[in-house]
Structures are given as C-alpha cells and as structure tokens.
Amino acid sequence: MRPETDVTENGLRHLLNEWDPIGVADAVQDEYDCMLAPLLQRLRGGAAQVEIGEFLRHELEDHFGLSPHPSEPQAMAYRVMTWWASGQGTVGAPRPSNGDASQSPSTAL
C-alpha cells in the first residue's frame, strides 16, 4: 500500500470514528473499516454527496441494523465531501474548501 493511501484511509477512519453511529469507536478503532474502501472508491470516482449519503444510510440500516434519521447519513456525507475537497489526507476536522461549504446542512437552513 502506498503511503498516501495510508494517510487517506487514516483520515477517513478518523472521520468515521468521530461520527461513531453505533458508539463503539473508543473501544474498537476499526469498527467502520468496512466502509473505507467503498467510500474511497466512490470519492475517487467523483460521487456526489447524495450518493455518499445513500451509501452511508444503506450501511447503517443493512450492515449495522440501525434506523437512522434521514439527516444523519446526509450530514456525515457533507463532512466526508468537505474533507475530500480539502485535500483528503488531513486527519482531524474537515476544512471547507470555500466559503460556500462553511455551513453544515443543519446550519445552512
């Protein structure tokens, strides 16, 4: 595996663990690793935020057995897309790539 791939995967893992929809990331750091490759494939393929959100919703429902509120996967999709647009290798809070992305979906209403 190339070093830049490790950095990218670690950054995305960090975001997923911050989100932690099932509440286990403190004990199990790789719980959401099943989503890394599919998410990165979609991001590298130019997927839209809606597609990322639908993937996350599907994973929460079908893989993890949750019934998320519709805004939860879409809010995380926004974070993932913002992180990806910012350079995709930065671990930590995503940085908006422009002024339009400075508001999350919940605060932009």
Side-chain angles (χ1 to χ4, degrees), residues 30-71:
D30 63 353
E31 181 63 29
Y32 308 111
D33 280 7
C34 59
M35 292 191 277
L36 291 177
L39 277 171
L40 288 171
Q41 180 179 8
R42 285 168 173 79
L43 291 166
R44 289 177 179 137
Q49 181 177 325
V50 171
E51 182 181 342
I52 300 296
E54 285 301 310
F55 168 76
L56 293 171
R57 181 196 54 76
H58 173 78
E59 286 297 299
L60 290 179
E61 290 176 352
D62 293 348
H63 182 81
F64 293 104
L66 301 175
S67 298
H69 187 277
S71 66

Side-chain angles (χ1 to χ4, degrees), residues 18 29 38 44 54 77 80 95:
E18 280 185 340
Q29 291 293 305
R44 289 177 179 137
E54 285 301 310
V80 169
R95 293 186 310 256

Side-chain angles (χ1 to χ4, degrees), residues 4-16 18 36 39-40 43-44 52 76-97 101:
E4 62 270 11
T5 301
D6 288 342
V7 170
T8 301
E9 284 185 0
N10 286 337
L12 185 54
R13 180 179 294 113
H14 179 80
L15 280 179
L16 292 170
E18 280 185 340
L36 291 177
L39 277 171
L40 288 171
L43 291 166
R44 289 177 179 137
I52 300 296
M76 184 56 183
Y78 172 84
R79 287 190 67 202
V80 169
M81 296 298 290
T82 302
W83 167 81
W84 183 254
S86 74
Q88 82 260 355
T90 305
V91 176
R95 293 186 310 256
S97 59

